[in-house]
Amino acid sequence: MKQLIIFDPEKCCGCKRCEKICSWVHDQVFSKARARVRTIKWETEGVYLPLSCFQCETPFCMEVCPVGAIDKDEMGVVIIDEERCVNCRLCLQVCPFGMIDFNPVTRQVVKCDMCKELGYKPQCVEECPAEALRLAPLDERAGLLKRRAAMETLRKQREMVLDKTTMD
Amino acid sequence: MYGWAGTILTIDLSKEQIIKEPLDMATAEKFLGPDGIGLKLLWERVPAGTPPLDPANIICFGSGPLTGTFCPNSGKMSSVFKSPTTGLIGVGAAGGFFGPELKEAGYDLLVLMGKAKKPVWIWIDDDTVEIRDAAHMWGKTAWEAIDIIQEEVGDVPTITIGPAGENQMFNAHALIMRSRSIGGTGAGAVMGSKNVKAIGVRGTKGVQVYRPDEFMKKCKEAKDKIINNPVYASFARYGTPGWTPTLITQGVMPTRNFQEGIFPEGEEFLDPETPCKEIFVKSDACESCVIHCGHWCEVRSGPYKGTKTEGVEYYAEYMFGPYMDCADWGFIVKASVECNSLGIGFGSAGMIAWLMELYQRGMISKEDVDGLEPTWGNQEVILELLRKMAYREGVGDILAQGWEKAAEKFGGAEFQPIITRLASTECPRARMDVALSHLTSVRGGDHNKSLPYFAWVCSPEYIRKNWPEWPKETADIYSPIGKPEIVDWTEDWKCVIDSLTCCYWSTSVLQAGGNSPADYAELLTYATGVEYDEEKLMEVGRRIAVLERAFNVREGWGRDVYQMSRMFIDKAFPRGPQAGVKADMKVINKMVDKFLERKGFDAKTGYPRKETLEQLGLDFAIKQLKKQGRIIE
């Protein structure tokens, strides 16, 4: 079944264990700089957003690759063929979400492969202590976003009602 | 290199030199990490009797062989220097992301020596190390300096000082990121004395381990041990504020400068569920943490509405709560933010409570406090005094010189909660674990060195089972029996933890079934390739603990340094479970004697015995102390 990693910024506690395990799985070293999943932090606002490739339906990176080194596999995961890649970094330029990373040591473009080698069991999901990363069937994400949008509307309405009550 | 990064980075600020030396493996094996290796450097590089704010003092920051790896709760760092607060050894640990990042940049230890001619900040970007001009940051708060650094080099972990550090306030702290600190013993003042405003680091090299498969397997076990522990759920939800119910039951909640041990008027305030409802937004963690005891906090109503920060915990809760007679979580957040950005350690905020008691007793007037009225719970006055201390204005200048100078001016030394030269963080009157651990703490009397939390967190059966050689009263915190044993063990263990560098909370508090020295020895062996077992690891701890105490002896502090404030000896709580209990110095001194003898020190003089140092391979210390005549042969 095609699956996606769902990121929940409200649960993320910012420990970066996802980054550590990612660099371990792919490079056998603990290095946040080499991770393909990143926890982006706004420390003054307390907003922590763990992110990795969304595995787009129509990936720009795949479209622009001049040597056809990027492809989607049977599980819907966008994979870079390292042998074919010439490191032109065009994919890095066009990804609208900045999800293609550049490994500063091997000097290669890299991206999340959903831990294909480990049977598509993303280790970042396994190791998250706050359950901020979750694996879900592809269809579920839309449902989650809808539910969240509905909750947000509800919360705002309730706040408005409460504000009014206190004003009266 | 495995586990360790392999390089010590020294920055000579006077000569503007950057020196990179390989880490000596024999030293690394014997002294493990920053708490130990830094201590050895301090001993070797700083001559005896050096004033703490002299350029000849050094300050070491670093992380140990497990930091930066996947070992749970290893995102820590430690610091070693001679303390301007106490004149004793200054040691401290902090969480956040600086330690792991320094390691990933390829350094075990960063040593600052000398003094820069003008304000500077240090930028470490893997192999590139620069001493940069900090004229545009000097005078700014620590948080403003972080903004400037992040503007210049991107989102990197930092150590900064606020105006309190620049002005060398006696216990200014070094702020790690925005809300964690190496506090208590004046790391910020030492940085300020060297004209160093900030340090920023970025590392891409990463950390490698020697036996990866076994290491990862053991990491998983270690994680399971933490999260399956009975204490875990409370700790993950509340963090340290989850302890208040225990302290209330014991009747030792520090209230109004230790005048009371209960705070009934703040019953709702002290309920751990209250901050969850009022200010906690979500959990927050240091690097590699599986507990996440921190919180992101936001004030939603009242005069401090909109104030937000990470990391409000028990210390802030009691200091700006019962200790100053406030019961307002909004104010706790506000005061924490002020302390962090001004660079003031919470310990010196306690001076305000002392002033309040003097005012309550009519010993000082409004004029003494620049026209401010330090009545209990007066939030505006507290915030204004914090600001005055950091900028050394008026009465703030007197307070910023330390407890002794302040008592010379105002009197009232008998109301200062000083134990072994440092302001105490807990009440030592009834609890014997607090009394002994605070009195004999090498950095001065607080809970950061040897307080055996597990004495009251774990069941007596657990302690009996694991340490059958200790007396059966060991788990009874009100009994003096067994305390020398447990405090002695805890001190050694804390030195190991601060050198690994791992989080104290992943071990001692969660000790019942949590990760033991044997577990860490295994992790360390797999990470570094150097064989360790429980005995060898605890010996490393003992070596560091003994050398720290010997350092204090070298600096002139013998048995008479272990002094308790008269306020704990002459006065008692008027009500609550500990009503009428005073610190019984006869009993306590007997514990101290026994403790010192256990540690291999002479109880009468407080000097180390030669064979103690010999057994631990501390020959360089023997040579020095012999010269000074401060060793028992």
Side-chain angles (χ1 to χ4, degrees):
Chain A
M1 192 175 32
K2 289 184 180 177
Q3 288 186 312
L4 262 189
I5 302 173
I6 294 181
F7 303 94
D8 190 342
E10 283 174 27
K11 281 188 180 165
C12 176
C13 62
C15 70
K16 303 203 176 191
R17 273 179 85 78
C18 50
E19 298 185 18
K20 291 258 143 164
I21 194 72
C22 182
S23 64
W24 177 254
V25 167
H26 295 98
D27 293 282
Q28 283 72 55
V29 65
F30 302 107
S31 168
K32 300 188 288 289
R34 285 195 238 177
R36 296 142 192 234
V37 56
R38 292 291 170 95
T39 307
I40 300 155
K41 287 185 156 187
W42 285 265
E43 273 169 13
T44 48
E45 298 303 318
V47 177
Y48 310 149
L49 181 60
L51 282 176
S52 76
C53 176
F54 302 143
Q55 321 292 354
C56 304
E57 204 56 41
T58 317
F60 284 11
C61 55
M62 190 169 100
E63 303 266 305
V64 298
C65 181
V67 292
I70 303 181
D71 206 355
K72 267 196 146 187
D73 70 5
E74 68 281 6
M75 292 295 283
V77 179
V78 182
I79 303 280
I80 302 177
D81 181 344
E82 282 182 20
E83 306 246 305
R84 240 192 247 182
C85 170
V86 293
N87 270 307
C88 68
R89 302 170 208 171
L90 202 54
C91 49
L92 194 147
Q93 303 261 359
V94 298
C95 175
F97 313 108
M99 291 306 165
I100 308 276
D101 274 303
F102 183 68
N103 184 323
V105 176
T106 60
R107 305 200 70 74
Q108 255 182 336
V109 287
V110 290
K111 70 175 288 303
C112 167
D113 60 3
M114 297 280 279
C115 291
K116 186 179 181 174
E117 300 265 310
L118 299 171
Y120 297 99
K121 273 197 201 126
Q123 292 302 295
C124 52
V125 175
E126 302 265 315
E127 292 294 343
C128 177
E131 292 169 359
L133 305 182
R134 194 158 69 82
L135 211 55
L138 198 50
D139 309 344
E140 203 187 293
R141 177 144 188 107
L144 180 101
L145 290 176
K146 265 184 211 156
R147 218 168 36 240
R148 183 171 294 164
M151 269 168 64
E152 185 64 16
T153 314
L154 200 69
R155 197 174 63 81
K156 275 191 186 140
Q157 278 178 351
R158 202 176 285 166
E159 260 174 24
M160 276 164 66
V161 172
L162 284 176
D163 275 358
K164 241 187 173 171
T165 323
T166 38
M167 272 165 73
D168 291 341
Chain B
M1 189 64 99
Y2 301 97
W4 290 285
T7 306
I8 294 176
L9 173 64
T10 303
I11 298 177
D12 186 333
L13 297 152
S14 305
K15 294 185 189 150
E16 295 178 12
Q17 267 178 355
I18 287 143
I19 307 146
K20 292 177 192 172
E21 298 157 280
L23 176 69
D24 171 45
M25 280 315 292
T27 307
E29 190 177 342
K30 272 172 73 181
F31 289 90
L32 206 57
D35 198 18
I37 301 171
L39 173 67
K40 186 165 179 279
L41 283 181
L42 186 74
W43 186 291
E44 290 166 352
R45 294 189 185 178
V46 179
T50 302
L53 296 175
D54 192 272
N57 192 7
I58 63 169
I59 181 161
C60 312
F61 298 100
S63 53
L66 288 184
T67 292
T69 71
F70 202 58
C71 170
N73 297 49
S74 60
K76 297 278 285 191
M77 62 178 290
S78 296
S79 177
V80 185
F81 49 96
K82 187 176 170 187
S83 163
T85 316
T86 58
L88 304 165
I89 181 127
V91 282
F97 291 80
F98 188 94
E101 195 79 16
L102 185 70
K103 186 78 169 294
E104 288 189 33
Y107 306 103
D108 296 293
L109 213 60
L110 162 65
V111 185
L112 302 182
M113 59 186 281
K115 180 185 179 179
K117 286 180 197 75
K118 51 181 180 36
V120 295
W121 76 280
I122 313 287
W123 170 228
I124 303 165
D125 187 5
D126 281 332
D127 291 334
T128 313
V129 181
E130 293 170 32
I131 303 172
R132 290 192 176 187
D133 180 43
H136 56 312
M137 293 179 206
W138 204 255
K140 298 237 175 357
T141 67
W143 282 20
E144 285 166 344
I146 296 170
D147 289 341
I148 295 171
I149 289 171
Q150 297 196 333
E151 189 79 15
E152 271 179 48
V153 296
D155 190 3
V156 297
T158 50
I159 303 179
T160 44
I161 57 168
E166 290 177 14
N167 297 325
Q168 299 174 28
M169 178 182 170
F170 80 112
N171 85 340
H173 69 200
L175 188 70
I176 316 298
M177 321 279 287
R178 282 173 200 269
S179 56
R180 303 187 174 264
S181 75
I182 290 182
T185 51
V190 176
M191 275 176 75
S193 76
K194 300 191 172 306
N195 268 335
V196 176
K197 176 72 181 177
I199 307 163
V201 62
R202 177 164 56 207
T204 62
K205 292 184 183 169
V207 182
Q208 282 175 309
V209 291
Y210 188 70
R211 282 153 71 177
D213 294 342
E214 287 151 299
F215 182 77
M216 290 307 277
K217 199 169 150 247
K218 188 69 197 168
C219 281
K220 178 144 189 11
E221 271 176 49
K223 177 187 166 188
D224 289 346
K225 277 192 172 180
I226 294 170
I227 62 178
N228 293 329
N229 200 285
V231 193
Y232 173 78
S234 149
F235 219 58
R237 177 164 170 79
Y238 306 121
T240 45
W243 290 344
T244 47
T246 315
L247 294 169
I248 292 167
T249 314
Q250 293 173 352
V252 293
M253 195 73 201
T255 301
R256 286 184 288 277
N257 200 32
F258 290 107
Q259 290 184 80
E260 297 242 30
I262 53 169
F263 191 53
E265 48 278 55
E267 199 185 330
E268 199 198 331
F269 166 83
L270 291 173
D271 180 351
E273 280 298 334
T274 307
C276 293
K277 271 185 257 156
E278 289 187 3
I279 58 157
F280 290 170
V281 177
K282 64 170 182 175
S283 289
D284 202 295
C286 302
E287 182 164 321
S288 286
C289 174
V290 297
I291 303 180
H292 47 74
C293 75
H295 293 93
W296 178 259
C297 306
E298 283 182 23
V299 186
R300 301 190 183 101
S301 59
Y304 311 112
K305 188 178 170 178
T307 311
K308 45 196 168 181
T309 183
E310 187 259 314
V312 173
E313 37 74 73
Y314 164 72
Y315 200 178
E317 175 188 7
Y318 98 76
M319 183 56 80
F320 297 105
Y323 202 63
M324 297 191 192
D325 205 357
C326 305
D328 174 358
W329 278 101
F331 178 66
I332 305 287
V333 178
K334 176 68 181 172
S336 299
V337 168
E338 286 301 304
C339 278
N340 285 337
S341 60
L342 290 170
I344 296 177
F346 289 166
S348 43
M351 293 182 104
I352 298 172
W354 170 67
L355 276 188
M356 287 171 164
E357 182 168 356
L358 295 192
Y359 189 75
Q360 165 204 319
R361 293 179 184 279
M363 293 170 72
I364 54 169
S365 66
K366 253 169 93 169
E367 286 65 48
D368 290 321
V369 199
D370 301 347
L372 300 167
E373 205 170 0
T375 46
W376 287 110
N378 192 332
Q379 300 178 358
E380 276 166 36
V381 168
I382 295 169
L383 294 176
E384 178 60 9
L385 283 173
L386 286 176
R387 199 191 60 77
K388 276 174 177 279
M389 279 198 250
Y391 289 99
R392 301 190 81 140
E393 288 173 15
V395 64
D397 184 43
I398 298 161
L399 298 176
Q401 293 173 51
W403 292 94
E404 281 171 21
K405 284 270 190 284
E408 276 171 29
K409 169 83 183 167
F410 300 124
E414 67 276 25
F415 302 110
Q416 293 184 338
I418 305 293
I419 303 180
T420 310
R421 306 193 56 72
L422 197 67
S424 175
T425 45
E426 327 226 348
C427 181
R429 288 183 186 122
R431 274 180 51 185
M432 290 295 131
D433 58 334
V434 171
L436 181 63
S437 64
H438 280 49
L439 205 55
T440 56
S441 164
V442 289
R443 67 170 231 163
D446 73 0
H447 56 204
N448 281 309
K449 217 44 194 151
S450 53
L451 181 63
Y453 290 89
F454 64 110
W456 48 279
V457 173
C458 303
S459 65
E461 293 75 37
Y462 177 80
I463 290 177
R464 224 167 289 157
K465 195 178 130 225
N466 285 276
W467 291 274
E469 66 277 20
W470 291 349
K472 64 177 191 317
E473 291 89 345
T474 305
D476 176 4
I477 54 177
Y478 305 109
S479 160
I481 303 170
K483 295 303 147 318
E485 285 85 348
I486 196 169
V487 170
D488 175 32
W489 188 88
T490 308
E491 188 186 39
D492 293 354
W493 181 228
K494 183 68 177 9
C495 289
V496 172
I497 288 296
D498 285 352
S499 290
L500 279 173
T501 39
C502 286
C503 178
Y504 203 31
W505 298 153
S506 65
T507 67
S508 80
V509 163
L510 301 166
Q511 191 71 36
N515 289 300
S516 65
D519 292 318
Y520 278 97
E522 214 176 309
L523 279 164
L524 197 55
T525 305
Y526 300 149
T528 61
V530 178
E531 293 285 333
Y532 282 93
D533 57 16
E534 180 176 354
E535 199 185 328
K536 184 173 167 186
L537 193 60
M538 289 307 288
E539 193 191 63
V540 169
R542 190 156 201 86
R543 185 174 295 123
I544 300 168
V546 163
L547 190 60
E548 280 177 347
R549 201 168 294 279
F551 178 87
N552 288 345
V553 171
R554 191 192 86 159
E555 298 306 310
W557 305 107
R559 176 67 171 83
D560 53 355
V561 73
Y562 309 117
Q563 297 285 347
M564 176 140 1
S565 165
R566 295 299 316 176
M567 70 188 272
F568 297 122
I569 302 170
D570 298 338
K571 291 186 193 65
F573 292 140
R575 52 185 182 155
Q578 305 300 341
V581 180
K582 295 176 186 171
D584 184 345
M585 287 316 287
K586 243 193 211 154
V587 174
I588 294 171
N589 275 326
K590 231 181 239 171
M591 285 197 298
V592 173
D593 290 348
K594 198 167 170 207
F595 169 86
L596 286 173
E597 290 293 350
R598 261 190 92 85
K599 206 98 226 170
F601 284 64
D602 175 43
K604 206 165 147 229
T605 54
Y607 297 163
R609 296 191 185 283
K610 188 170 167 231
E611 62 264 28
T612 311
L613 301 174
E614 252 167 13
Q615 279 160 10
L616 296 165
L618 298 169
D619 297 335
F620 58 94
I622 297 176
K623 223 169 120 192
Q624 166 75 32
L625 292 171
K626 235 184 193 172
K627 247 194 288 176
Q628 293 174 308
R630 292 182 191 152
I631 194 163
I632 307 292
E633 297 203 42

